[in-house]
Amino acid sequence: MIKNILFFIVVFISNVIQCITGFAGTVLAMPFSIMLIGFDTAKTVLNILGLVASVGVLLMNRKSFNKKEFLRITEIMLIGMVIGLVIVESFTVRAGILYKILGVTVIIFTVIGCVNTFKKKTDENQIVSEKKPSLFSYCILAVSGIVHGMFVCGGPLLIVYAGKRLRDKDEFRATVSAVWIVLNSVNLLTDIKNGSFNMKIMPLLGISIIILFAAVAVGNMIAKRMNKKTFMIITYILMGVSAVSLLVK
């Protein structure tokens, strides 16, 4: 019971952050959630929460949706995601090893995020280059897909790509959310197939969705009052703490 309550707190805090930053929710919630309710349950519940949140964001920003980038991102990430799902389903890996892999992954994301946050000086509405993405950009998307298939938290690497390709905040949020709808739907079908999505998680999921809506409301209020760069720094510090907790587990 105590672990479930702690999980609900994690869901609330992570989705407040998700609402403000646009991507950090799941990657922040996953390490703590794994320790509280187990890998399979955490992956399934957080995936559905991410799906629900993404539908809402896309509906609110649908006029800014970038179809071209959506198709490019989705195609490459789906390929990577298949690889990630195969890794999880085809190999018997001890939970401790998965914790370590996720911990290292989150640390990498934290470093990348901090670098981008501190060096970013351009205006949010600045027009981005129309040049075709580089091979390195495609590799970032592929790795992001692999991580998303394994842990449902490939967002930070996608943001490295999308932050340079999408013109403004609304276009960014709408397009990225559309990507998560597709990828998280694939994850949901996989969870249904392997039995992770079942009646046992319904009470946990139902309460989590209610908490999700509350978190979005609070996140919207905070977003209007808080400096985004400051909050991003706090977010990456929390991500680093969660990663260290997994590495020493």
Side-chain angles (χ1 to χ4, degrees), residues 91-103:
F91 298 93
T92 303
V93 183
R94 289 188 296 109
I97 296 177
L98 287 177
Y99 292 152
K100 299 300 184 293
I101 294 174
L102 182 54

Side-chain angles (χ1 to χ4, degrees), residues 124-157:
E124 200 172 54
N125 295 316
Q126 181 181 7
I127 296 178
V128 297
S129 171
E130 292 294 337
K131 293 181 180 179
K132 185 177 180 180
S134 65
L135 177 60
F136 178 71
S137 296
Y138 287 134
C139 290
I140 288 177
L141 288 179
V143 174
S144 177
I146 293 173
V147 173
H148 198 71
M150 295 180 68
F151 302 115
V152 203
C153 55
L157 274 182

